[in-house]
Structures are given as structure tokens and as C-alpha cells.
Amino acid sequence: NVTITGNQYVGSTLTADVSALNEQTHLSYQWYRDNVAISNATGSTYTLTKDDYNKTIKVEVKTTAASNVAGSSTDATSKIDCTHNRWP
């Protein structure tokens, strides 16, 4: 499972916690705002902007085993509802 840690405030940084994933050979990240990929948000952290206010933020993490064998990738997502944001 992937979880998101961090405060739900504009200006705060969210982190994708992947410590519960087994195969962490290669990780790729994509953050989403209301199910739409956020441009250039492909790291393990994401800083909330004013565009995220009152939106649902999700991160998708894909793991790939060292063998790169087909079927060795898994998806995990976790959502955080930013409806209680406040301006920094």
C-alpha cells in the first residue's frame, strides 16, 4: 500500500510513503488532481498549490522488479481530499 503523508494546506508538501511496498527496485510516480495528471509532478513529493484547493489529490506509484519481466509491475494509489486547505 502507498499512503500520502503531509498537511492538507496550500503550500505544504505531500509525500508518497512507499515503505509498505515489497519490490522497490524501480519506482515511478504520478500525482493527479481530480483524476487528471499534474504536469511535471512525477516525484515522491508534491507541493500543494492554489489550484489544488478543494480538489482531490492522488498519487500513483508503479514498481518494477529488476528483471523487467512483463507482469512484474503493480499500481498503488492513495487519495487525500484537500477540501480543508488554508492559505499559508
Side-chain angles (χ1 to χ4, degrees):
N1 290 337
V2 174
T3 58
I4 297 176
T5 60
N7 293 317
Q8 298 182 40
Y9 306 133
V10 171
S12 294
T13 299
L14 301 179
T15 301
D17 181 355
V18 295
S19 59
L21 293 179
N22 291 330
E23 297 182 38
Q24 298 183 25
T25 303
H26 176 74
L27 300 175
S28 61
Y29 302 85
Q30 179 61 62
W31 293 84
Y32 294 84
R33 178 186 305 115
D34 283 347
N35 292 316
V36 176
I38 302 170
S39 180
N40 298 318
T42 56
S44 62
T45 62
Y46 174 70
T47 301
L48 294 168
T49 69
K50 63 181 181 175
D51 294 331
D52 300 318
Y53 182 77
N54 209 28
K55 306 289 184 186
T56 298
I57 302 300
K58 175 175 82 170
V59 63
E60 179 180 61
V61 180
K62 291 186 178 183
T63 64
T64 305
S67 62
N68 277 328
V69 174
S72 64
S73 296
T74 59
D75 295 338
T77 61
S78 183
K79 294 182 182 179
I80 189 164
D81 188 358
C82 295
T83 55
H84 303 320
N85 286 343
R86 66 177 182 205
W87 297 102

